[in-house]
Amino acid sequence: MAKVNPIVQFILSVAFSLGAVFLIHLIILDNLGFPKFNDLIGLSYIVNGLLAIAIFVSIYIFRSKLKNQIGFLFMGGSFLKFLFFFILFYPAYKSDGEMSRLEFAAFFVPYVVSLVVETIFTAQILKKWIN
């Protein structure tokens, strides 16, 4: 059986995870009587997924050249995500003077899901270098 490329495996994992959580998120919003597609929720899942992929691919590409700086690359990726949050989402969320829980969840839920998947895959890369 052929070994799956770690980048392909990551892309599939992040897409499946974010897709499943997105559907659950929409079902919860619907069941609670909230609008499903408000608060830039779709854009948030897409942006977090694309940033996670870009960050992991960068870490994977530079894993041998910058093996002692992988943690910094990972943290830089989190900074990049927050930068995108403050540029793309924060102005819309604060346009009415406050950020609601729904707006916060619309960004933070996909952020956490993508961060968990990134952490797991990055830890696998680091584990291979330690052993």
Side-chain angles (χ1 to χ4, degrees):
M1 185 167 172
K3 186 176 178 182
V4 179
N5 181 314
I7 292 174
V8 172
Q9 192 176 14
F10 177 80
I11 291 170
L12 292 174
S13 296
V14 80
F16 175 78
S17 299
L18 285 174
V21 172
F22 181 66
L23 290 175
I24 293 167
H25 198 151
L26 293 179
I27 290 168
I28 291 170
L29 288 173
D30 190 48
N31 286 339
L32 294 175
F34 295 113
K36 291 188 285 188
F37 295 101
N38 279 5
D39 307 320
L40 305 173
I41 191 169
L43 181 63
S44 180
Y45 276 85
I46 291 168
V47 167
N48 273 291
L50 292 175
L51 286 172
I53 290 167
I55 293 162
F56 180 76
V57 168
S58 298
I59 289 171
Y60 189 78
I61 288 170
F62 295 112
R63 71 189 184 281
S64 57
K65 188 181 284 188
L66 300 172
K67 65 182 173 184
N68 294 324
Q69 286 82 25
I70 291 213
F72 291 110
L73 286 173
F74 186 82
M75 290 188 319
S78 291
F79 174 75
L80 184 65
K81 284 184 181 182
F82 277 109
L83 186 65
F84 268 78
F85 168 76
F86 282 108
I87 292 171
L88 290 177
F89 299 99
Y90 190 74
Y93 292 165
K94 290 293 278 186
S95 65
D96 62 356
E98 68 176 349
M99 186 182 319
S100 71
R101 289 182 180 191
L102 293 176
E103 290 169 329
F104 178 77
F107 180 81
F108 194 68
V109 169
Y111 172 81
V112 168
V113 171
S114 62
L115 182 64
V116 167
V117 176
E118 280 178 79
T119 302
I120 291 167
F121 276 80
T122 301
Q124 290 174 353
I125 289 173
L126 290 172
K127 189 186 280 188
K128 287 181 182 176
W129 282 106
I130 291 171
N131 292 332

